[in-house]
């Protein structure tokens, strides 16, 4: 279940005076997303520095000599452009990307359809190519990501025909924005992480798909681009829930034979013997998969995957108000739910010399949720794969020898769940036949080194009461690993990301990033340097150049500030850590105050909740938090809290969610709110509201069902109110399999709807294909049967997370809380 956190591509609704005031925040702070552009063949780079709204400059950096300077004479270039009739200001040049020489003495750039060269204060037109100026097209399309960082893409159409621009929204649907004629360009306002598809206007044939980055960028539309695979379509590599790519290539290039699928069976083709069947029992219901054929390095054996199919489970939507016709239409989507029959892959072994199948026993992989290939060992004597048993309580690496025997090489088990979708990681070291493996076997997510030949653990690599979030880089020659760690730096928020390095044997641990905040970094091509940016919700981003080997700071590049924001009444979010339900585990959260905050007043509290176990959700890096301030400006304290059951602390912290999504960390949230209010008399814990979307919608309603003594009003958007109605993978991961009706009943808002206390607003989109809209409508049915009062906002044509993306829904939520927490009546929207 995904969280929707950002508004859709912007509309311009009529704003009430308070909301209009918060709109000023968008212009009062310029996001300083740092994007170094390394100059080819060097450790020099330039970057576009945004100074403040509509002011920027280009900076040149020589990493070896710790030199930072203006990339060129901005004033001279502005004057040269103005002399040619192109309006330019030295602090706001009409381009955002340059093609720079190593010493930055020469730059080339594009303005609209024209290209220029600026060298020795001389400006001339340029008719050559510009390197690295365009966004790189995506290979696989994806949905847009939520972001508050505004940016622009300048689409340049170099084709000889018109193209159309489509935004791919948060559900993967396309929305047409504009057409660009042949040879013309157009600047499109967007947000970082938003995805844009370009298609030919005539026939709608896809050309390419681009994703916006944090800085203004160019997307050049030219011949030779390869269209991205559309969202949700099959591809040769399988994307897992964790976003990792499973290599399914058949590795058959330059061989004297070929394996292929015919009549659902596996066949062998050779030049001498033609086509020969290797299997004969496959059917249309149990075919072999052409994308999952793995040939041994010595060409003597192959493993091919045979599979059964998912059961048919159709999610039905009636689109009541389609834009292209008057009559409603039915939409149908394949959508598995907990307990449904899943596709099962079964690896089968073949002897290519004898041209027969080798019998193997599936005793070590009898009921897979998923089987992922790791590949053959170097001498071709054993094929390895990762087996995730359905129910996610066993994760095993299995070796299948060429004689048909199978053995366990690595095994993790859990009485609760193995967090396969977020924490699975392995790296095979071919030369030594070792595997780096991520596991929570000691209660924290760490890396281990296994000898696959012996099927034994060699050593634990990382260790301690902190977690490895992800692996950044592995160097087999140096036997070192660079990784992202959370909680590694003492006396900091345990959710802060830091870069660290360690040796394979567990020695030499060093933290390469310094500064109290959450860090992101970008490497130089040589990996000699890295650019490190860190921030907190109360600390604007700071960026330094570091020596990659030691982490030593070489040069300060940018020191962000938010000096212009307080002029709007804005103040940074307050951070607070307080003991949770057990009295000692620290729970972390933030609070956002109204723009007109008065410490002598008392303010009701609204919690913005998302308790999905796949991640943590309290913001850690700096942003103006405009959405939160927009709500707070009406007279509320808006809080975010990560309670137990969310991810990326210890295993025990995470396990709280097991078969218990109803919990949602509420005992910790209540303890945090109580502790916060104890030292802040302006927080009124007798007036607490809550809102959330998706899993947050489930939790928002649960707050009124189980904690109505504290929470007085809730808005539940797109909620998964009964986990049996939602998608299979997400709900089985936390609620378990087989489906235990008593367990699922205990967390069901539908089953317990009669417990409702307080004011409730339900929001649902008619075409939500992430969470079945029936989940909300079954709550409606149960509330009616229980004779309960509630508000329902049903949005025709809308998808998942409409409560966050629709200006109308946001206004309805705001009016709801004003009415029930402030005791005021909002303006009559129907008055003439």
């Amino acid at each position: 279940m995904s969280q929707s956190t950002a508004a859709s591509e912007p509309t311009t609704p009529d704003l009430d005076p308070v909301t209009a005031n918060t709109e000023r925040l968008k212009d009062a702070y310029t996001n300083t997303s740092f994007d170094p552009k390394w100059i080819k063949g060097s450790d020099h780079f330039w970057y576009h520095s945004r100074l403040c709204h509509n002011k920027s400059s280009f900076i040149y950096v020589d990493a070896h000599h710790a030199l930072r300077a203006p990339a060129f004479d901005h004033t001279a270039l502005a004057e040269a452009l103005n002399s040619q009739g192109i309006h330019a200001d030295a602090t706001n040049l009409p381009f955002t990307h340059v093609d720079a020489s190593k010493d930055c003495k020469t730059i080339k750039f594009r303005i609209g359809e024209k290209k220029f060269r600026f060298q020795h204060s001389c400006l001339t037109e340029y008719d050559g190519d510009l390197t690295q100026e365009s966004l790189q097209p995506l290979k696989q399309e994806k949905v847009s990501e939520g972001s508050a960082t505004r940016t622009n893409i300048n689409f340049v159409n170099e084709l000889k025909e018109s193209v159309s621009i489509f935004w791919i929204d948060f559900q993967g649907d396309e929305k047409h924005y504009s057409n660009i004629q042949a040879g013309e360009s157009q600047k499109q306002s967007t947000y970082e992480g938003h995805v844009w598809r370009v298609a030919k206007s005539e026939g709608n044939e896809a050309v390419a798909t681009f994703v916006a980055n944090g800085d203004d960028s160019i997307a050049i539309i030219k011949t030779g681009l390869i269209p991205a695979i559309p969202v949700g379509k099959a591809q040769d590599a399988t994307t897992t829930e964790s976003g990792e790519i499973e290599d399914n290539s058949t590795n058959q290039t330059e061989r004297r034979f070929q394996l292929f699928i015919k009549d659902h069976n596996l066949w062998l083709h050779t030049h001498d013997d033609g086509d020969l069947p290797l299997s004969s029992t496959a059917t249309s219901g149990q075919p072999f998969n052409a994308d999952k054929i793995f040939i041994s390095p010595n060409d003597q054996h192959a493993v091919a995957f045979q599979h059964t199919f998912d059961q048919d489970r159709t999610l039905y939507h009636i689109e009541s108000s389609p834009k292209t016709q008057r009559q409603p239409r039915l939409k149908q989507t394949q959508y598995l739910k907990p307990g449904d029959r899943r596709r099962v892959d079964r690896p089968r072994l073949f002897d290519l010399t004898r041209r027969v199948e080798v019998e193997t026993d599936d005793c070590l992989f009898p009921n897979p949720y998923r089987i992922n290939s790791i590949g053959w060992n170097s001498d071709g004597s054993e094929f390895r794969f990762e087996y995730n048993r359905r129910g996610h309580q066993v994760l095993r690496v299995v070796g299948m020898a060429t004689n048909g025997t199978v053995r366990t090489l690595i095994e993790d088990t859990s009485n609760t769940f193995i967090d396969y979708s977020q924490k699975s990681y392995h790296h095979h070291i071919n030369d030594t036949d070792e595997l780096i493996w991520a596991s929570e076997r000691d209660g924290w997510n760490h890396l281990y080194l296994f000898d696959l030949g012996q099927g034994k653990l060699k050593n634990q690599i990382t260790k301690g009461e902190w977690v490895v979030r992800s692996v950044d880089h592995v160097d087999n020659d140096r036997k070192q690993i660079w990784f992202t760690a959370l909680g590694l730096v003492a006396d900091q928020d345990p959710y802060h990301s830091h870069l660290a390095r360690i040796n394979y044997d567990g020695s030499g641990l060093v933290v390469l990033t310094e500064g109290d905040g959450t860090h992101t970094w970008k490497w130089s091509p040589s990996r000699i340097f890295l650019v490190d940016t860190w921030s907190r919700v109360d600390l604007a981003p700071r960026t330094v150049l570091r020596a990659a080997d030691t982490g030593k700071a070489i040069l300060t590049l940018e020191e962000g500030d938010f000096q212009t924001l307080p002029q709007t009444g804005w103040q940074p979010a307050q951070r607070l850590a307080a003991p949770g339900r057990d009295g000692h585990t620290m729970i972390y959260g933030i609070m956002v105050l109204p723009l007109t905050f008065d410490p002598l007043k008392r303010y009701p509290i609204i919690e913005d909740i998302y308790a999905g176990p796949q991640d943590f959700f309290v913001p850690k890096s700096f942003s103006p938090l405009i959405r939160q301030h927009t709500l707070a400006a009406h007279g509320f304290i808006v809080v975010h809290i990560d309670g137990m059951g969310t991810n990326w602390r210890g295993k025990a912290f995470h396990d709280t969610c097991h078969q218990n999504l109803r919990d949602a960390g509420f005992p910790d949230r209540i303890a945090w709110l109580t502790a916060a209010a104890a030292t802040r008399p302006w927080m009124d814990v007798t007036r607490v509201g809550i809102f959330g979307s998706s899993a947050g919608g489930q939790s928002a309603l649960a707050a009124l069902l189980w904690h109505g003594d504290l929470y007085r009003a809730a808005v539940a958007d797109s909620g998964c109110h009964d986990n049996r109605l939602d998608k299979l993978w997400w709900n089985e991961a936390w609620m378990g399999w087989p489906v235990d009706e008593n367990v699922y009943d205990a967390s069901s808002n539908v089953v317990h709807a009669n417990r409702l206390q307080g004011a409730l607003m339900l929001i649902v989109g008619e075409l939500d294909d992430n969470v079945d809209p029936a989940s909300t409508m079954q709550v409606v049915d149960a509330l009616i049967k229980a004779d309960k009062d509630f508000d329902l906002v049903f949005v025709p044509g809308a998808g998942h997370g409409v409560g966050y993306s629709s200006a109308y829904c946001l206004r309805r939520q705001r009016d709801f809380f004003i009415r029930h927490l402030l005791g005021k009546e909002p303006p009559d929207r129907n008055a003439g």
Side-chain angles (χ1 to χ4, degrees), residues 251-260 267-271 274 278 293 295-296 298-302 352 355:
N251 66 352
Q252 296 195 67
T253 59
E254 299 183 4
R255 282 193 162 91
R256 294 175 290 103
F257 62 88
Q258 182 181 12
L259 297 178
F260 64 99
W267 287 63
L268 171 70
H269 172 82
T270 69
H271 293 299
L278 295 179
I293 301 172
I295 301 172
S296 65
N298 57 17
D299 289 352
Q300 294 181 9
H301 293 83
L352 302 181
R355 301 175 181 179

Side-chain angles (χ1 to χ4, degrees), residues 29-35 49-51 149 214 533 540-543 558-561:
Y29 175 75
T30 299
N31 183 279
T32 54
S33 177
F34 198 93
D35 189 15
S49 174
R50 297 184 181 183
L51 305 174
T149 303
T533 299
R542 300 180 177 181
T543 302
E558 293 286 325
E559 289 188 346
D561 63 58

Side-chain angles (χ1 to χ4, degrees), residues 454-515:
Q454 297 295 319
K456 293 182 179 179
L457 173 66
K458 291 191 68 173
N459 60 269
Q460 184 169 351
I461 301 173
T462 60
K463 190 173 185 178
E465 293 188 356
W466 50 274
V467 299
V468 174
R469 174 88 191 237
S470 61
V471 174
D472 186 272
H473 179 68
V474 177
D475 189 323
N476 290 334
D477 294 331
R478 297 174 63 178
K479 297 186 181 302
Q480 292 181 326
I481 306 166
W482 287 257
F483 61 93
T484 302
L486 304 181
L488 178 56
V489 179
D491 302 323
Q492 286 193 26
D493 186 320
Y495 298 99
H496 285 172
S497 293
H498 282 274
L499 175 65
R501 186 186 66 239
I502 198 167
N503 298 323
Y504 282 5
D505 63 5
S507 66
L509 175 64
V510 58
V511 179
L512 298 170
T513 49
E514 182 183 10

Side-chain angles (χ1 to χ4, degrees), residues 560-676:
D561 63 58
F562 40 73
Q563 294 179 0
T564 56
L565 283 169
Q567 298 172 14
T568 68
W570 177 96
Q571 55 182 299
Q574 294 187 12
R575 299 185 297 144
L576 175 70
R581 70 184 76 184
D582 60 8
H584 61 84
T585 301
M586 299 305 289
I587 303 299
Y588 291 79
I590 64 169
M591 62 185 71
V592 174
L593 309 186
L595 298 180
T596 56
F597 175 71
D598 181 349
L600 299 179
K601 293 183 178 180
R602 285 174 61 78
Y603 294 92
I605 304 161
I606 299 177
E607 181 178 357
D608 185 346
I609 189 171
Y610 190 87
Q614 73 270 24
D615 210 339
F616 65 88
F617 303 97
V618 174
K620 298 299 172 184
S621 59
F622 183 81
S623 80
L625 299 175
I626 291 171
R627 179 170 61 84
Q628 293 84 349
H629 276 284
T630 299
L631 180 58
H634 290 267
F636 304 106
I637 307 295
V638 178
V639 303
H640 288 262
I641 311 162
D642 278 319
M644 292 185 185
T646 50
N647 210 344
W648 299 110
R649 300 281 291 273
K651 182 82 167 90
F653 190 101
H654 199 191
D655 278 348
T656 303
C657 75
H658 177 58
Q659 297 187 337
N660 188 25
L661 290 179
R662 176 181 107 185
D663 179 276
F666 276 116
D668 311 300
R669 298 170 189 279
I670 293 169
W672 188 94
L673 285 167
T674 302

Side-chain angles (χ1 to χ4, degrees), residues 35 37 97 132-138 152-155 194 196 209-213 215-220 225:
D35 189 15
K37 306 294 186 182
H97 192 286
Q132 301 178 338
E133 69 162 338
S134 179
L135 292 173
Q136 295 302 304
L138 296 177
N152 295 285
I153 299 178
N154 185 26
F155 289 98
H194 281 205
W196 293 86
T209 302
F210 303 91
V211 60
N213 59 31
D215 207 348
D216 288 358
S217 53
I218 297 173
I220 298 178
L225 296 180

Side-chain angles (χ1 to χ4, degrees), residues 341-414:
R341 187 184 72 251
R342 264 187 60 87
R343 166 179 170 149
V344 172
D345 284 288
R346 196 334 184 156
R348 297 195 175 278
L349 176 64
F350 295 87
D351 187 321
L352 302 181
T353 303
R354 296 189 295 128
R355 301 175 181 179
V356 295
E357 180 174 359
V358 180
E359 184 177 350
T360 56
D361 191 339
D362 68 354
C363 61
L364 295 179
F365 50 98
N367 184 27
Y369 174 83
R370 174 169 292 148
I371 290 178
N372 291 336
S373 166
I374 292 176
W376 288 90
N377 63 353
S378 58
D379 66 6
S381 62
E382 187 175 63
F383 179 76
R384 285 79 176 261
F385 56 89
E386 181 187 84
Y387 163 68
N388 178 4
R389 191 176 75 185
R390 189 155 186 192
H392 312 302
Q393 294 181 315
V394 175
L395 189 63
R396 178 182 294 143
V397 175
V398 177
M400 179 181 286
T402 54
N403 64 5
T405 61
V406 293
R407 61 177 181 144
T408 297
L409 304 179
I410 303 172
E411 182 173 279
D412 280 335
T413 61
S414 173

Side-chain angles (χ1 to χ4, degrees), residues 63-354:
H64 278 292
H65 296 94
L67 171 67
R68 177 189 183 275
F72 49 84
D73 188 332
H74 291 65
T75 300
L77 177 53
E79 291 174 352
L81 288 170
N82 282 311
S83 69
Q84 294 199 21
I86 300 173
H87 176 70
D89 184 285
T91 62
N92 186 20
L93 292 168
F95 54 88
T96 59
H97 192 286
V98 298
D99 182 358
S101 62
K102 182 177 177 179
D103 56 7
C104 236
K105 295 289 181 64
T106 302
I107 63 165
K108 305 161 194 169
F109 54 90
R110 178 192 295 271
I111 299 177
E113 291 76 45
K114 290 186 176 182
K115 292 179 282 189
F116 297 89
R117 183 195 340 244
F118 186 63
Q119 184 178 29
H120 304 305
S121 298
C122 180
L123 179 69
T124 57
E125 286 200 33
Y126 173 71
D127 60 1
D129 294 329
L130 299 179
T131 61
Q132 301 178 338
E133 69 162 338
S134 179
L135 292 173
Q136 295 302 304
L138 296 177
K139 294 181 180 179
Q140 168 71 48
E141 222 169 62
K142 59 182 181 178
V143 300
S144 290
E145 299 174 359
S147 171
T149 303
R150 287 182 167 185
T151 186
N152 295 285
I153 299 178
N154 185 26
F155 289 98
V156 179
N157 183 12
E158 294 187 351
L159 300 179
K160 295 181 179 180
E161 58 186 300
S162 171
V163 296
S164 300
I165 307 298
F166 298 86
W167 176 52
I168 307 302
D169 69 11
F170 305 118
Q171 287 75 49
D173 295 328
E174 64 176 37
K175 296 185 177 180
H176 180 261
Y177 264 71
S178 62
N179 293 336
I180 306 175
Q181 298 303 313
E184 295 185 359
S185 64
Q186 177 176 295
K187 180 180 285 189
Q188 175 63 54
S189 175
T190 184
Y191 290 85
E192 181 179 13
H194 281 205
V195 178
W196 293 86
R197 180 192 298 152
V198 179
K200 295 179 180 179
S201 299
E202 184 70 27
N204 203 32
E205 177 187 348
V207 176
T209 302
F210 303 91
V211 60
N213 59 31
D215 207 348
D216 288 358
S217 53
I218 297 173
I220 298 178
I221 306 161
K222 58 185 179 180
T223 57
L225 296 180
I226 299 175
I229 300 169
V231 175
K233 299 298 183 182
Q235 53 179 330
D236 291 337
T238 300
T239 304
T240 70
E241 283 95 341
S242 63
E244 295 182 1
I245 300 297
E246 173 192 353
D247 184 6
N248 296 330
S249 60
T250 59
N251 66 352
Q252 296 195 67
T253 59
E254 299 183 4
R255 282 193 162 91
R256 294 175 290 103
F257 62 88
Q258 182 181 12
L259 297 178
F260 64 99
I261 307 301
K262 178 181 177 182
D263 299 329
H264 315 299
N265 280 285
L266 183 66
W267 287 63
L268 171 70
H269 172 82
T270 69
H271 293 299
D272 295 334
D273 300 324
D275 295 347
L276 300 171
L278 295 179
S279 71
S280 60
T281 59
T283 65
S284 59
Q286 291 184 306
F288 280 90
N289 186 346
D291 293 329
K292 288 193 173 184
I293 301 172
F294 303 91
I295 301 172
S296 65
N298 57 17
D299 289 352
Q300 294 181 9
H301 293 83
V303 168
F305 280 49
Q306 187 179 12
H307 66 270
T308 60
F309 290 94
D310 293 333
Q311 77 174 66
D312 288 333
R313 164 76 76 172
T314 304
L315 177 62
Y316 296 98
H317 296 91
I318 295 179
E319 186 177 12
S320 64
S321 309
K323 297 177 181 178
T324 58
Q325 64 188 56
R326 182 172 300 280
Q327 296 302 319
R329 61 184 172 192
L330 177 66
K331 292 190 171 184
Q332 303 179 53
T333 307
Q334 170 72 355
Y335 185 103
L336 292 184
K337 297 187 177 185
D340 286 350
R341 187 184 72 251
R342 264 187 60 87
R343 166 179 170 149
V344 172
D345 284 288
R346 196 334 184 156
R348 297 195 175 278
L349 176 64
F350 295 87
D351 187 321
L352 302 181
T353 303
R354 296 189 295 128

